[in-house]
Amino acid sequence: MFRASRRLLQHKPMIRFLGRRSTPTGIDHTPHAHPASPTNSLPDSFASYRQKAQQHGPLTKRHYSGGNIGGQPGAALGPIEPAKGEFFDRSELPDRFARLPWSESEIEAIESGGASLVA
């Protein structure tokens, strides 16, 4: 009886692979341009790529008078007033866009995880 239960508890993988395991040998690892690349060519170097690339602004280093970012006061970087039609906070919007107050039933539904709506 001990052998029967021991046999049942053995791990048996559910996935079965066909054939022998082998590593492919004919893979080309040379760099190539992405098929959707607009130029269909690789950059000459990473440095030349960084000169042209942008991600949330230019990737090139900016040299400020102090030598680093933060070398100038914030006021020297430009105005901090929003342009016409722009707002920094939702509370500055017209009243039709104001936040609505929570009702007691909504607060109860949130605090109970929605269970109070079913009961």
Side-chain angles (χ1 to χ4, degrees), residues 9 23 30 33 48-49 54 56-57 60-61 67 76 96-97 102 118:
L9 294 175
T23 306
T30 58
S48 67
Y49 162 74
Q54 288 214 6
H56 312 297
T60 57
K61 293 182 180 177
R96 63 183 178 163
F97 299 110
W102 294 90
V118 178

Side-chain angles (χ1 to χ4, degrees), residues 3 17 22 26 30 33 39 43 45 48 51 58 60-61 66 71 73 77-78 88 90 92 94 96:
R3 290 183 186 171
F17 296 97
S22 62
T30 58
T39 60
S45 67
S48 67
Q51 291 295 326
T60 57
K61 293 182 180 177
L77 298 176
F88 285 146
R90 189 173 177 176
E92 300 170 0
R96 63 183 178 163

Side-chain angles (χ1 to χ4, degrees), residues 1 3 13-14 21 27 32 34 53-54 60 74 79 85 98 106 110 119:
M1 180 144 155
R3 290 183 186 171
M14 296 180 71
R21 296 181 186 172
I27 297 177
H32 60 279
H34 190 276
Q54 288 214 6
T60 57
E106 289 172 327
I110 291 170

Side-chain angles (χ1 to χ4, degrees), residues 5-6 11 14-15 19-20 32 37-38 42 45 50 63 66 72 75 78 81 87 100 103 105-106 112 114 117:
S5 62
R6 187 173 182 200
H11 173 72
M14 296 180 71
I15 299 175
R20 294 183 58 112
H32 60 279
S37 169
L42 291 171
S45 67
R50 273 188 75 86
H63 298 286
Q72 289 182 337
E81 293 298 319
F87 301 94
L100 297 174
S103 68
S105 62
E106 289 172 327
S112 69
L117 296 176

Side-chain angles (χ1 to χ4, degrees), residues 52-76:
K52 294 181 248 173
Q54 288 214 6
Q55 177 182 4
H56 312 297
L59 292 177
T60 57
K61 293 182 180 177
R62 296 180 183 154
H63 298 286
Y64 296 106
S65 62
N68 303 20
I69 293 178
Q72 289 182 337

